[in-house]
Amino acid sequence: MSPDSSPDSSPDSSPGARGAATELVFSYGTLQSPAVQEAVFGTRVPGEPDAVAGHAAGRLRILDPRAVALSGSDTHAVLLASPDPAARVAGTVLALDAGQLAAADEYESGACVRAAVPLVSGRTARVYVPRPQSPEPLVHRRVVVSGLGSVGAGLLRLLDQRAGDLRERHRLVLTVVGAVDSGGAAVAAGGLPPAALLDLKGRGSSAARLPGAGRPGAGVAEVLAGLGEDVDLLVEAGPGDLVHGGAGLAAALEARRRGLGVVLANKAPLVLAWEELVGGDGADGAPVRFSACVGASLPTVDLARRVLVSASALRVEAVLNSTCQLVLRAVEEGAAVEEAVARAQRHGVAEADPSLDVDGWDTAVKLVTLAAAALGHRAALGDVDVTGIRGVDPAQLQATRRRGEVVVLLGLAERVAGPADGAADGPADGPADGWRLSVRPTALPEHHPLARMDAQETGVVLHTDVAGRIAATGLHHDATPTAAAVLRDLVDLATTAPR
Amino acid sequence: MSPDSSPDSSPDSSPGARGAATELVFSYGTLQSPAVQEAVFGTRVPGEPDAVAGHAAGRLRILDPRAVALSGSDTHAVLLASPDPAARVAGTVLALDAGQLAAADEYESGACVRAAVPLVSGRTARVYVPRPQSPEPLVHRRVVVSGLGSVGAGLLRLLDQRAGDLRERHRLVLTVVGAVDSGGAAVAAGGLPPAALLDLKGRGSSAARLPGAGRPGAGVAEVLAGLGEDVDLLVEAGPGDLVHGGAGLAAALEARRRGLGVVLANKAPLVLAWEELVGGDGADGAPVRFSACVGASLPTVDLARRVLVSASALRVEAVLNSTCQLVLRAVEEGAAVEEAVARAQRHGVAEADPSLDVDGWDTAVKLVTLAAAALGHRAALGDVDVTGIRGVDPAQLQATRRRGEVVVLLGLAERVAGPADGAADGPADGPADGWRLSVRPTALPEHHPLARMDAQETGVVLHTDVAGRIAATGLHHDATPTAAAVLRDLVDLATTAPR
C-alpha cells in the first residue's frame, strides 16, 4: 500500500481530511529517522520526544527485504514489558494522517499490530508491537498403563505432578483411561484420577477396586477392546517374561495391532519380538519407544544414535545393571556375594529373585536392545556370551582393586573382523554380522569412565572412529527416573506420531 | 477376491480349465496347514515336500486382521538370502489352479509378490516374497564452508571419506560448492573437490589458489551472492570475534537472510545474535545448528534437551575447555601456569593467544549457549561471573588434590530462588530469570563425574528433579570430533529442513 492509498483501507482511519494530523503514533525505532520518514511517507512528519514507562526495548528480526532496505537494519525495535516500573523506552510521538498511518502499517511489516499505550507525558498514542502469537493448540492423548509396579506407579505420579508442565511446554494433555495390574483393571474413557489409583496401590490393593471403574480380572486385551477408539497409547510396564513374553508381549502386540503407539518399560517384548514391534532398523519412524529399557533415565540409545549420525562405532561398553554394580562394590569391601545380594534385596534395590540381574541376563537383554537400536545389529539373547557375578572371588576382586583396576559386570559389543563382516549388508537375521556381544565380570583400569562410577550409577561408553570416546552415566536412587524416561517417550510419541 | 473369481483377474493365470493344476507354488509357511487351505481355497490342495537352497526363513509382520484370523498368527514366514549356500528352507509344493492362485495372492497380503525359485528337487515354483522396497530418493544439498582451519579442513576430509556412508545411511549427497578462507574463496556450482582444497591447505596456501575456481580476496557474502540459488547450507567455522562478531557473524546473518540453513562451529555469532539466528526458545525448528560449539562431538545440548523433556534441571555443571583442563592437570603435577600453557601451545592444544581459554571466556561462551539452548535461559556474556585460571596457586592445587579434591574450571548454571524467579515467564531479555551463571576454578570431590575426567576430556553434568543425575563426557585428541559434530548438524539440517 502506498501513501496515496485511500484512507478507508485503514481500519483505524479517522473521518478527518487527508493531510490532517489524525493519529498520534509513538515510535522508538527507525520511524524517527528523517530518511526513513522520507521513504515511507514521502515527507518528514512533525514529532515530539516522549517515553513509555515499565518497558524495555528489544529487537525483532525482520525478514522483509523492503523493510530492511528502507531502514538499513534487519531488526526492528520492539517493546518488552519490564518487571522494573522505572524502566523507560524513549522515542518520538509522530502526528500521522490516515494515509501516512497506512504507510506506517505496511512499513512495520506483518509481524506488528498497533496498540494504544499511555506515554510519560500523559498522552495516549498508538505503538507498533509484535502481533500476539496464538498458542499452539493442545494435543490430547489417552493412555493405558499396563503394570502398576514402581515404574507404572511412578509414571502415574509424574503424570499428576507434571500435568501443568506438559500443557505449557509441550501443549500436551495426557489422560490415563486405563490402568492394569495383576488384580485386574480400572477403565474410564473420560479419564482415571492418578491420585485415586496411587492411593489404592499404596494400600496394597488393585486398580480393579476403583469404585465405578474397576474391572476385576480384566487384562490389557479386554481393556483395549472395551476402549475401542478411545485410547491412543499403551505403556507396558509389567513384569518381564524373557522366555515366553507373557502378558507384556501380548499387550504390546495387541496395541500395535490396534495401531496404538507403545512405550515399553518391560524389556521382554523387545528381545522376543523386535521385528514385529520396532522393525528392521529400529528407526524413530516406528511408534514404539523403549528408552526406559536401556539405562532408565540415561538416554543411551538417543545419545548413541546422535553421535553415530556422522561417526561409526568401533566398540560399545556398558554397565547397565545397578544391582550388580552395588553387589560388586560391596564385595570389594569384604562382603560375600550372597550376603551383598541379600543386603541389596533388603534395601529394595535387588529383586526378590535376583537371578536375572546376578546371572547377567538383565545386562544381556539391555545390550541386545542397545545393539539393535543404536548399531543396527540384531542378535538373539542366545547369541550373547553371558557370565554373571555369582562366581566372582572377593579376594581376587580386592586384589584387582589394589593394583588399580575395578571389576564391573561389563556388557560389550565388539566389532569382529573377517568373513562375518561380509554378511553385514544382508538381512539382519544372524548373529555374525560384524559384532560380537558378551556380558562378563571385567577388570577395567581405574581411570576408565565405567570404573569411576558410583555404586548406584550405570553407564555406557562409545568408542568411535571420528567422534572420539563418548561416555555417559546416570545416577538414580529409585524408580522415578525410569518413570521419567517413560514419560519422555510418551511425550515423544504424542507429539510426533500421527493419531 | 474369492476363489470363485474369474481366472483372468490373475496376471499369472494360465489358459487351463478351472480346477486343473496349473501353477506350482512353494509354501514354507501357513499355506501348508490344512485348516488354512480349507479357509483360503475352500478345500485341501495336493502338496509334496521340497526345499529352497541358499536361504533362511525369517518372519514378516502382517497387520491385515483377516490374514491373522485365518492363520492364527500375526507373522508370515519370508525367505531371506543366506550367505551359507548349504542353508535350506523346507516347505511344500502346492499345485494350484488359477482361482486358487488368486485366493493365495489375497491371503499373502499386499506386502508380498510372487517370484520364481529353483527348488532342491530341480523343479521351479512360485514363491511369495516381500515386495521389494524401492530405496529412498537421494537428497542433494550444496554447502559453502567458511573457515578452513582445523575444523573446516576436518569437515572437508570427512565429507570426502564418508560420502558413501552419507549416501547409503542417510540417502544424502553433500557437495561443497564454496570454500572460504582468509585468502579468498574457491567457488564452483557443480562442486569443488575436497581433496584438492585439502592439498592447498596442507601446503599452507589458500582455497583462492584453486585453478579455475579460485576467487582471491572474496568473502562469504560475495560467494553466496555469486552462487545465488545454487547453495543450500553454510558452515561457519571461521575465527570467532566475541566483541564485534566479525566476518563470522556477518556470514551467518547473510546466510539466514538468504534462507539458507546454517551450521556454526564459530561460537561468536551465537553469543551476539542468538535471537536473530536461533530464535527465542532455541527450538529445533530454526535452521541453525551449533552442536560443535558446546562440547565438540559430545552432544551436550541434545542430551540435555532429551532428558529435560520430562524433567526439570536443578543445576548444570560443565567443564568445557580442554586447554584449561590440560593446564590444571599439568599444574597439579608441579608446572607453573604459564609453563603449562606454553607446553599446551607447543602440543597444538592451546591457541597462540590463549587468553580466551585461560581467562574463562571460552567456557563462559559455551555456558551461555548451553543455557539458552537447553534451559531456555538467555544471558549475555556480561551476565556471567567469570574467573579464569591464571591466578591458581600450584601449591594450593596440589594440597587440594591431596585431601581428595580436584580443581577444574567449572561452568555452573544454578537456579536462584526469590523474586528473580518471578520474571521467568516474562520475555527472556534479562539476566535474572531464575538462573545464575558463573565460571571459576572450583574444587570438586574426587568422585564427582567431572573430577574423574582425563586431562583431555570435557563434560557436563545435569542435576534434575525426577531424572536423577546425568553425566556425559567426551575425550578427543584433535579437531576431527568437532568436524564430526559439524557433519552431524549438516545431516540433521539436510534431512529435516525444507529447501
Side-chain angles (χ1 to χ4, degrees):
Chain A
M1 193 184 294
S2 80
D4 291 324
S5 298
S6 156
D8 290 343
S9 63
S10 162
D12 275 86
S13 68
S14 84
R18 185 175 184 286
T22 54
E23 285 278 0
L24 296 181
V25 168
F26 177 74
S27 170
Y28 47 99
T30 52
L31 270 184
Q32 299 172 88
S33 141
V36 170
Q37 292 178 359
E38 291 275 7
V40 172
F41 307 123
T43 180
R44 301 194 185 181
V45 293
E48 289 170 28
D50 211 321
V52 180
H55 285 74
R59 306 295 299 175
L60 181 75
R61 181 137 176 83
I62 299 296
L63 293 174
D64 180 345
R66 289 168 308 167
V68 173
L70 278 175
S71 71
S73 162
D74 56 358
T75 61
H76 274 195
V78 292
L79 287 182
L80 299 169
S82 167
D84 176 7
R88 291 275 180 285
V89 175
T92 304
V93 178
L94 303 174
L96 300 187
D97 68 26
Q100 289 169 336
L101 194 65
D105 278 358
E106 187 178 9
Y107 172 69
E108 293 287 352
S109 98
C112 286
V113 292
R114 275 175 275 144
V117 285
L119 301 176
V120 171
S121 65
R123 292 179 288 189
T124 293
R126 304 287 175 155
V127 64
Y128 287 94
V129 295
R131 190 182 296 281
Q133 305 282 314
S134 55
E136 288 278 304
L138 284 174
V139 171
H140 293 259
R141 289 288 185 272
R142 293 153 302 181
V143 185
V144 167
V145 180
S146 165
L148 299 178
S150 58
V151 175
L155 176 65
L156 293 179
R157 208 168 292 117
L158 287 183
L159 285 172
D160 206 28
Q161 287 169 359
R162 301 189 83 88
D165 188 55
L166 290 171
R167 195 171 49 242
E168 297 193 4
R169 284 174 58 204
H170 303 293
R171 305 300 299 158
L172 182 62
V173 176
L174 293 174
T175 305
V176 178
V177 292
V180 189
D181 60 25
S182 58
V187 185
L192 296 162
L197 291 168
L198 288 167
D199 184 47
L200 281 167
K201 299 308 292 182
R203 290 186 281 117
S205 185
S206 162
R209 304 293 291 271
L210 193 70
R215 306 273 186 279
V220 170
E222 202 174 320
V223 169
L224 295 181
L227 285 164
E229 292 292 303
D230 291 329
V231 54
D232 306 292
L233 300 163
L234 172 74
V235 173
E236 168 49 43
D241 173 348
L242 289 173
V243 178
H244 300 107
L249 176 58
L253 290 175
E254 174 63 19
R256 288 300 307 125
R257 199 173 291 129
R258 291 177 170 273
L260 307 184
V262 175
V263 176
L264 295 168
N266 176 347
K267 296 175 272 283
L270 286 175
V271 172
L272 296 171
W274 176 270
E275 303 297 334
E276 291 86 340
L277 290 169
V278 185
D281 61 352
D284 284 335
V288 176
R289 296 288 184 278
F290 45 85
S291 191
C293 293
V294 200
S297 67
L298 182 68
T300 53
V301 170
D302 291 302
L303 180 74
R305 281 195 186 159
R306 185 81 189 120
V307 170
L308 299 179
V309 162
S310 63
S312 296
L314 303 174
R315 177 186 173 92
V316 179
E317 301 165 317
V319 170
L320 293 169
N321 184 279
S322 49
T323 295
C324 290
Q325 179 71 355
L326 203 63
V327 166
L328 287 172
R329 299 292 73 81
V331 169
E332 222 169 48
E333 286 170 10
V337 174
E338 288 74 19
E339 183 191 330
V341 171
R343 210 186 297 166
Q345 285 172 315
R346 280 197 301 277
H347 285 90
V349 178
E351 307 273 341
D353 175 0
S355 46
L356 275 182
D357 293 333
V358 174
D359 292 337
W361 291 105
D362 176 75
T363 299
V365 165
K366 290 167 175 169
L367 185 65
V368 161
T369 305
L370 184 61
L375 308 176
H377 169 76
R378 282 293 295 134
L381 209 43
D383 299 329
V384 188
D385 180 7
V386 180
T387 306
I389 62 167
R390 281 193 208 269
V392 297
D393 174 4
Q396 206 178 346
L397 213 63
Q398 290 148 23
T400 305
R401 172 67 96 172
R402 281 193 298 273
R403 63 164 199 270
E405 294 187 330
V406 178
V407 174
V408 298
L409 182 65
L410 192 73
L412 176 64
E414 297 168 284
R415 273 200 181 275
V416 286
D421 252 348
D425 296 322
D429 62 336
D433 67 346
W435 288 95
R436 180 166 48 210
L437 308 186
S438 62
V439 175
R440 68 171 69 96
T442 306
L444 300 175
E446 234 165 16
H447 58 81
H448 188 288
L450 300 177
R452 305 176 301 196
M453 294 193 303
D454 282 358
Q456 282 174 277
E457 207 163 0
T458 53
V460 64
V461 178
L462 295 173
H463 299 263
T464 76
D465 55 351
V466 296
R469 183 189 80 187
I470 305 285
T473 63
L475 176 66
H476 47 86
H477 301 280
D478 62 21
T480 302
T482 309
V486 171
L487 180 55
R488 195 166 75 202
D489 285 351
L490 272 180
V491 171
D492 204 24
L493 282 185
T495 53
T496 61
R499 168 55 193 167
Chain B
M1 193 184 294
S2 81
D4 291 324
S5 299
S6 155
D8 291 344
S9 64
S10 163
D12 276 86
S13 67
S14 84
R18 186 176 183 284
T22 55
E23 284 281 357
L24 296 182
V25 168
F26 176 73
S27 169
Y28 47 99
T30 53
L31 270 184
Q32 299 171 88
S33 143
V36 170
Q37 291 178 1
E38 290 276 7
V40 172
F41 306 125
T43 181
R44 300 194 184 181
V45 294
E48 289 171 27
D50 212 322
V52 181
H55 285 73
R59 306 295 298 173
L60 182 75
R61 179 136 176 85
I62 299 296
L63 293 175
D64 181 346
R66 289 166 309 166
V68 173
L70 280 175
S71 70
S73 161
D74 57 357
T75 61
H76 275 195
V78 293
L79 287 182
L80 300 170
S82 167
D84 175 8
R88 291 275 181 283
V89 175
T92 305
V93 177
L94 304 174
L96 300 186
D97 68 25
Q100 289 168 337
L101 195 64
D105 277 0
E106 188 176 8
Y107 173 67
E108 294 286 353
S109 99
C112 286
V113 293
R114 274 175 276 144
V117 285
L119 300 176
V120 170
S121 67
R123 292 180 290 189
T124 294
R126 304 288 176 154
V127 65
Y128 287 94
V129 294
R131 192 182 295 281
Q133 306 281 315
S134 55
E136 288 278 303
L138 284 174
V139 170
H140 293 260
R141 289 289 184 272
R142 295 153 299 182
V143 184
V144 167
V145 180
S146 164
L148 300 177
S150 57
V151 174
L155 175 65
L156 293 178
R157 208 169 292 116
L158 287 183
L159 285 171
D160 206 29
Q161 287 169 358
R162 300 188 85 89
D165 187 55
L166 291 171
R167 197 169 48 242
E168 298 194 2
R169 285 174 58 206
H170 304 292
R171 306 299 299 158
L172 183 60
V173 177
L174 292 175
T175 305
V176 177
V177 292
V180 188
D181 61 23
S182 58
V187 186
L192 295 163
L197 291 169
L198 288 167
D199 183 48
L200 280 168
K201 300 308 291 183
R203 290 187 280 115
S205 183
S206 163
R209 304 293 292 270
L210 193 70
R215 306 272 185 280
V220 171
E222 200 175 322
V223 168
L224 295 181
L227 285 164
E229 291 293 301
D230 292 329
V231 55
D232 306 292
L233 300 162
L234 172 74
V235 173
E236 167 50 43
D241 173 348
L242 290 173
V243 179
H244 301 107
L249 176 59
L253 289 175
E254 173 64 19
R256 288 302 305 124
R257 201 171 290 133
R258 290 178 170 272
L260 308 183
V262 174
V263 176
L264 295 169
N266 176 348
K267 295 175 273 284
L270 285 175
V271 172
L272 297 172
W274 176 270
E275 304 297 335
E276 291 86 340
L277 291 169
V278 184
D281 61 353
D284 284 336
V288 176
R289 296 288 184 277
F290 45 85
S291 193
C293 294
V294 199
S297 66
L298 182 69
T300 53
V301 171
D302 291 302
L303 179 74
R305 281 195 187 160
R306 185 81 187 118
V307 170
L308 300 179
V309 162
S310 64
S312 297
L314 303 175
R315 178 184 171 93
V316 179
E317 300 166 317
V319 170
L320 293 169
N321 185 280
S322 49
T323 295
C324 290
Q325 179 71 353
L326 202 65
V327 166
L328 287 172
R329 299 291 73 80
V331 169
E332 222 168 50
E333 285 170 10
V337 174
E338 288 73 20
E339 183 192 329
V341 171
R343 212 187 293 167
Q345 285 172 315
R346 280 197 302 276
H347 286 90
V349 177
E351 307 274 341
D353 176 1
S355 45
L356 274 183
D357 294 332
V358 174
D359 292 337
W361 292 104
D362 176 75
T363 299
V365 165
K366 290 167 174 167
L367 185 66
V368 161
T369 305
L370 184 61
L375 307 177
H377 170 76
R378 282 293 295 135
L381 209 44
D383 300 328
V384 188
D385 179 7
V386 179
T387 306
I389 62 167
R390 281 193 207 267
V392 297
D393 173 6
Q396 204 179 347
L397 213 65
Q398 290 147 25
T400 305
R401 171 68 96 174
R402 280 194 299 273
R403 63 164 199 270
E405 295 187 330
V406 178
V407 173
V408 299
L409 184 65
L410 192 73
L412 175 65
E414 297 168 283
R415 273 199 181 276
V416 286
D421 251 347
D425 298 320
D429 60 337
D433 67 347
W435 288 94
R436 179 166 48 212
L437 309 185
S438 62
V439 174
R440 68 171 69 97
T442 306
L444 300 175
E446 233 166 15
H447 59 80
H448 188 287
L450 299 178
R452 304 177 304 196
M453 295 193 305
D454 283 359
Q456 281 174 278
E457 209 162 359
T458 53
V460 65
V461 178
L462 295 173
H463 299 262
T464 76
D465 55 351
V466 295
R469 184 190 78 188
I470 306 285
T473 62
L475 177 65
H476 48 86
H477 300 280
D478 61 22
T480 302
T482 309
V486 171
L487 180 55
R488 195 165 77 203
D489 284 350
L490 272 179
V491 171
D492 204 24
L493 281 186
T495 54
T496 61
R499 168 55 193 165

